[in-house]
Amino acid sequence: MKALFSLFVPVLLMSVIFVACNNDDDDDTTPIVTSSTYTATINAAGGRNPISTTLTSGTSTTGTSGTVVSNTAATGVGSFVGVVNASNSMSYTMTYSGLSTPITGAHIHSATSTSATATGPESITIVGTPASTTAANARAGTVTGTATVPAALVTSMNNGQTYISIKTSRFPAGEIGGTIRKQ
């Protein structure tokens, strides 16, 4: 019995050591990405400029939702950063300055392609009803918020088929804008 016990104990200890050494709890694995970051540089060219208009003081452009205008008279600039998590909730920050007149709206549009001339409908409201109205009536500011992003729009964002447009009373179709790109 003593001989069996002396053989059993070393085997038991080796088993415990082997199991403990095989425990794969090392921290050197690549983390799973649970969010994606998207950015846009916002300016007069807007990243999508199918129509180029030179405006003189007191004139304006008109357009419908989804029309992007490159306003050579516009001098505003801005930026957009959005982080979309695994449940398609996006936290965003948009800054802007130098608008010709106060902001009246800002939207994320989904475009039909990645072409510089592709336009599309408003998909998410950043400024205006129902989103933030605190930035309205300002020529410069920062807007932060959250929005639920439909799965199809996330796909468009991943493919470079979305853009942001900032609208003013002088440029109701969009004074400045920029293509949203995945980082």
Side-chain angles (χ1 to χ4, degrees), residues 94 96 103 127 132-143:
M94 180 187 77
Y96 61 96
I103 189 172
V127 174
S132 169
T133 55
T134 58
N137 301 316
R139 291 184 179 188
T142 299
V143 179

Side-chain angles (χ1 to χ4, degrees), residues 13-125:
L13 286 174
M14 291 301 286
S15 298
V16 169
I17 292 170
F18 179 77
V19 170
C21 289
N22 268 344
N23 190 359
D24 192 17
D25 60 355
D26 297 338
D27 291 334
D28 61 353
T29 59
T30 305
I32 297 171
V33 176
T34 57
S35 64
S36 296
T37 301
Y38 302 87
T39 63
T41 299
I42 303 171
N43 55 43
R48 299 176 185 277
N49 51 355
I51 303 167
S52 180
T53 57
T54 304
L55 301 176
T56 57
S57 181
T59 63
S60 65
T61 62
T62 58
T64 60
S65 173
T67 302
V68 178
V69 179
S70 174
N71 299 307
T72 56
T75 59
V77 294
S79 65
F80 173 83
V81 176
V83 178
V84 179
N85 67 22
S87 62
N88 289 1
S89 177
M90 178 174 62
S91 298
Y92 59 83
T93 300
M94 180 187 77
T95 62
Y96 61 96
S97 64
L99 298 179
S100 63
T101 57
I103 189 172
T104 58
H107 304 90
I108 293 176
H109 295 254
S110 57
T112 55
S113 74
T114 59
S115 166
T117 60
T119 61
E122 297 170 356
S123 298
I124 295 177
T125 301

